[in-house]
Amino acid sequence: MNTGTPTSPATPGTLTYGVLVPVDVYFDDLDSFGMLHNSHYGVLAERAWVTYWQKREIPFSKDWVMLDDGFNVAKELRIVYETPIDRPGAYGVHFWVDRLGRTSMTYGFRVCAPDGSGTYAQGIRTVIRLDRTTLRPAEWSEPARALSTSLLRPEQ
């Protein structure tokens, strides 16, 4: 039985909100059962999120420390596993913003096929933007708010 077929097939190219970012699963991401280790689904979502923001010039310092809006911490991470990934290769992460607060943001995500079809796992992650000096919650900048607002999921 091929366990690597995602559930809830969708028609490729029909994403109506959010963004689809390509990610790779490597051989060493697989556990001793030959499946993507459960902790790596969150890592894939995080990598896709960081890649998306970096390409939109959320700044890093010369020593790769995230600055300003990129300086945030996770408050919550929830993942529901649908179907195991059982081989290395190209996949996708479809993500969107569910809620944008003054200092926090909750985004949803799906680990899926590269074309956005199907779902291997889905979840949410809430982050809090921090001031680097005080480590207290800080407001998102206007550019970050605009970028995040463009990813808002329509009301369902």
Side-chain angles (χ1 to χ4, degrees):
M1 176 173 104
N2 179 4
T3 59
T5 304
T7 61
S8 308
T11 306
T14 61
L15 300 179
T16 58
Y17 59 90
V19 65
L20 181 64
V21 176
V23 294
D24 290 311
V25 171
Y26 299 96
F27 175 77
D28 61 353
D29 291 322
L30 305 180
D31 63 17
S32 60
F33 301 112
M35 294 183 278
L36 184 65
H37 189 275
N38 62 38
S39 65
H40 289 249
Y41 289 86
V43 171
L44 291 177
E46 174 99 10
R47 286 179 185 161
W49 183 255
V50 169
T51 296
Y52 179 79
W53 281 70
Q54 281 179 320
K55 288 184 178 179
R56 278 137 192 93
E57 299 182 13
I58 297 301
F60 279 81
S61 68
K62 290 180 184 176
D63 60 356
W64 292 94
V65 174
M66 291 193 84
L67 302 173
D68 304 322
D69 294 300
F71 192 72
N72 53 69
V73 294
K75 178 179 180 177
E76 178 182 19
L77 174 64
R78 281 189 282 155
I79 302 174
V80 176
Y81 304 96
E82 304 289 342
T83 302
I85 290 177
D86 64 355
R87 60 185 46 104
Y91 294 88
V93 173
H94 169 213
F95 64 82
W96 58 90
V97 173
D98 277 328
R99 193 186 74 72
L100 178 60
R102 191 175 57 81
T103 63
S104 66
M105 177 187 320
T106 300
Y107 68 87
F109 64 89
R110 292 183 317 113
V111 177
C112 55
D115 64 2
S117 64
T119 301
Y120 292 98
Q122 57 187 313
I124 63 159
R125 183 168 185 259
T126 300
V127 296
I128 310 292
R129 184 193 186 280
L130 297 180
D131 177 281
R132 285 190 58 79
T133 306
T134 65
L135 300 181
R136 302 286 307 152
E139 292 188 22
W140 299 106
S141 70
E142 285 308 312
R145 289 187 92 50
L147 181 58
S148 301
T149 299
S150 73
L151 295 172
L152 279 169
R153 182 179 190 169
E155 294 291 325
Q156 300 212 350

